Amino acid sequence: VTQPDSASVPGDQPYQLAVEGMSCEHCASAVERAVREVAGVTAVRVSLDQKLAEVVGGAPQQVVGAI
């Protein structure tokens, strides 16, 4: 997982994380569930094709740790 440049992103600004190793929809769903459980996350969208997670809220370091 590759973090955004900033360690702190404003709560209402989406940020993207590159997620390596996802090979199926089950993987993408597992990543989405893990990110949703992070305190402060208000939205998450995972793209299997692009190998990206777009997240709103939560501390990026905590999100990366959850993945």
Side-chain angles (χ1 to χ4, degrees), residues 31-49:
V31 168
E32 187 169 325
R33 279 192 307 275
V35 172
R36 284 192 189 282
E37 292 182 9
V38 174
V41 170
T42 58
V44 60
R45 183 183 63 83
V46 176
S47 170
L48 177 60
D49 294 335

Side-chain angles (χ1 to χ4, degrees), residues 16-34:
Q16 293 184 340
L17 301 171
V19 183
E20 298 174 11
M22 291 191 300
S23 59
C24 64
E25 285 298 327
H26 182 269
C27 296
S29 294
V31 168
E32 187 169 325
R33 279 192 307 275

Side-chain angles (χ1 to χ4, degrees), residues 1-5 15-20 51-53 60 64 67:
V1 178
T2 304
Q3 287 185 231
D5 291 335
Y15 56 94
Q16 293 184 340
L17 301 171
V19 183
E20 298 174 11
K51 307 275 194 256
L52 288 175
V64 169
I67 296 172

